[in-house]
């Protein structure tokens, strides 16, 4: 759990890049990343989730049915700067692999940190979607990312 | 014309004879000559794959990427319920009880099995450990990885979970597991090269019913497999994409 956790709850409106928004209750409580697991999801080229493994379901707090067909940005935590995701999309749309540290928002308002890698899925030369694999980050990388992202908000 | 079959060198030595039984079974089913070539190390096997000396391979998931995407191999089957998982273990008396407690400068005993090594390194990341601040000692087998831990020539060992489970209880009792991966979608796969692809329909038909007759079941159990199951092209591509996210950044 992060030293900064207060357990406090706040109401936040999260604005997404496509102009939509939602009201979310944010709880300042970290859920530890489980040892030895990978969170795996796939999306279509527009970021709509098409596959979610059990670790993703467990950590996000959503059911698989809730995740499939939803935009991946449902996980976006308001503490994550928009510029981080702009860099992600710029990289993967150029056909390259992206990786970075991400604070994800759970359905219950708590959060979890991941080291995420996203790659484009190319079939017969055509982009059919993206695969994202998340793994356990170190505490030092989380601390560095918290400090960096705070300056980018 | 005889074809060449090979097996990823990470199979357990106890099952060598099983692969010879499988080769005999295969020749009877396909009514063609198939030669089984086994290798001690990945490097020589990869060299022969690149030299077009392999027509069928029970490949580990890391090599599947090269075989499918670069060399035109196709997945015909995968073993049912046999995911490749990795275990990180230490000596039972080690002061370390979690990965996060492991300090810089430790020596890690590992094998040349690319999947296990890659996953092992990923599971060390929470401790801020990478190849720049640890020493790796590459050895020939999981038994030797265990020996290095017991003799305290290494503080940490990477094991294929199946390899760890097959160690004797006496050895296992002298080690403790810090973490065991639970990925479940990464596994070995039976692949067929371009020259043998005309046999795929027959091969799949026979492989998927192999566990239903006594002889086939005997061969499977000698390879420590329960049964073969279908693996679609998309499932294969998905597994390769997943592996790609884990290697080289």
């Amino acid at each position: 759990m992060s030293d900064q956790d207060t357990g406090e709850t706040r109401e936040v409106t999260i604005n997404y890049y496509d102009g939509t928004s939602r009201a979310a209750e944010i709880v300042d409580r970290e859920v530890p990343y489980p040892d030895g697991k990978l969170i795996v999801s796939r999306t279509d080229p527009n970021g709509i989730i098409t596959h979610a493994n059990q670790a993703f379901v467990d950590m996000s707090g959503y059911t698989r049915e809730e995740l499939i067909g939803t935009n991946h940005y449902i996980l976006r935590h308001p503490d994550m700067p928009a510029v981080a995701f702009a860099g992600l999309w710029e990289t993967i749309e150029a056909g390259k692999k992206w990786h970075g540290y991400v604070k994800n928002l759970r359905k219950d308002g708590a959060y979890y940190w991941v080291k995420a890698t996203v790659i484009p899925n190319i079939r017969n030369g055509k982009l059919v979607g993206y695969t994202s694999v998340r793994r356990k980050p170190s505490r030092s990388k989380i601390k560095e990312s918290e400090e960096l992202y705070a300056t980018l908000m | 014309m005889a074809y060449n079959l090979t097996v990823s060198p990470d199979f357990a030595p106890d099952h060598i004879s099983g692969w010879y039984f499988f080769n005999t079974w295969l020749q009877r089913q396909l009514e063609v000559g198939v030669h089984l070539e086994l290798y001690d190390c990945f490097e020589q096997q990869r060299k022969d794959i690149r030299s077009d000396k392999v027509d069928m391979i029970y490949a580990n998931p890391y090599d599947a990427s090269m075989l499918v995407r670069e060399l035109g191999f196709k997945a015909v089957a995968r073993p049912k319920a046999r995911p490749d998982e990795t275990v990180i273990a230490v000596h039972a008396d080690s002061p370390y009880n979690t990965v996060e407690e492991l300090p810089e400068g430790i020596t890690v005993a590992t094998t040349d099995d690319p999947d296990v090594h890659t996953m092992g390194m990923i599971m060390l990341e929470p401790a801020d450990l990478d190849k720049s601040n640890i020493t790796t000692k590459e050895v020939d087998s999981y038994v030797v990885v265990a020996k290095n831990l017991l003799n305290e020539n290494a503080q940490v060992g990477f094991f294929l979970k199946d390899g760890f489970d097959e160690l004797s209880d006496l050895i296992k009792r002298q080690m403790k597991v810090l973490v065991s991966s639970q990925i479940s979608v990464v596994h070995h796969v039976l692949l067929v090269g371009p020259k043998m692809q005309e046999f795929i329909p027959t091969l799949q038909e026979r492989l998927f019913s192999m566990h239903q007759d006594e002889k086939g079941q005997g061969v499977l159990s000698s390879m420590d497999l329960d049964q073969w199951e279908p693996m679609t092209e998309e499932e294969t591509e998905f597994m390769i994409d997943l592996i790609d996210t884990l290697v080289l950044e």
Side-chain angles (χ1 to χ4, degrees), chain A residues 35-38 40 42 51 97 99 115 117 119 121 123 131 133 135-141, chain B residues 69 100 122-123 125-126 128 179-183 234 237-238 241-242 244-249:
Chain A
D35 283 321
K37 292 198 179 181
L38 297 176
V40 182
R42 299 169 85 187
H51 170 93
K97 187 190 293 190
H99 68 96
K115 178 181 180 182
T117 307
I119 59 161
N121 305 140
R123 304 284 184 269
T131 296
V133 177
R135 57 217 223 201
K136 187 174 187 177
S138 71
R139 292 318 304 179
S140 70
K141 294 291 183 192
Chain B
R69 293 204 174 151
E100 278 92 338
I122 284 172
M123 292 197 297
E125 287 176 353
D128 280 321
V179 60
S180 184
S181 74
Q182 299 170 65
I183 301 167
E234 186 47 37
E237 292 285 351
F238 176 41
D241 280 338
L242 200 154
D244 278 353
T245 68
L246 303 178
V247 296
L248 298 174
E249 302 197 323

Side-chain angles (χ1 to χ4, degrees), chain A:
Chain A
M1 185 168 284
S2 170
D3 297 341
Q4 297 175 8
D5 279 3
T6 61
E8 282 175 9
T9 303
R10 58 189 159 119
E11 287 285 340
V12 173
T13 301
I14 306 174
N15 298 307
Y16 300 116
Y17 76 95
D18 59 4
T20 61
S21 63
R22 74 171 171 116
E25 187 173 86
I26 307 299
V27 186
D28 203 15
R29 177 175 60 85
E30 180 172 10
V31 175
Y33 193 103
D35 283 321
K37 292 198 179 181
L38 297 176
I39 295 176
V40 182
S41 59
R42 299 169 85 187
T43 71
D44 70 11
N46 299 315
I48 305 299
I49 299 168
T50 55
H51 170 93
N53 76 344
Q54 190 57 42
F56 187 22
V57 171
D58 294 343
M59 278 305 278
S60 69
Y62 291 97
T63 63
R64 186 170 277 108
E65 292 70 27
E66 285 172 320
L67 290 169
I68 304 296
T70 302
N71 196 298
H72 217 282
Y73 62 43
I74 193 171
L75 301 167
R76 186 178 154 193
H77 196 282
D79 291 350
M80 282 298 294
V83 66
F85 294 106
L88 185 165
W89 279 101
E90 195 178 306
T91 306
I92 59 176
E93 281 177 349
K96 294 178 191 156
K97 187 190 293 190
W98 178 90
H99 68 96
Y101 295 89
V102 180
K103 184 177 187 174
N104 280 146
L105 178 62
R106 290 166 46 94
K107 186 181 181 183
D108 64 6
Y111 68 89
Y112 59 100
W113 278 94
V114 297
K115 178 181 180 182
T117 307
V118 186
I119 59 161
N121 305 140
I122 310 294
R123 304 284 184 269
N124 303 314
K126 199 170 159 243
L127 175 77
V128 297
Y130 300 100
T131 296
S132 171
V133 177
R134 279 86 80 191
R135 57 217 223 201
K136 187 174 187 177
S138 71
R139 292 318 304 179
S140 70
K141 294 291 183 192
I142 292 173
K143 191 163 179 292
E144 268 174 39
S145 305
E146 279 175 334
E147 288 166 7
L148 173 68
Y149 295 158
T151 67
L152 298 172
M153 295 302 288

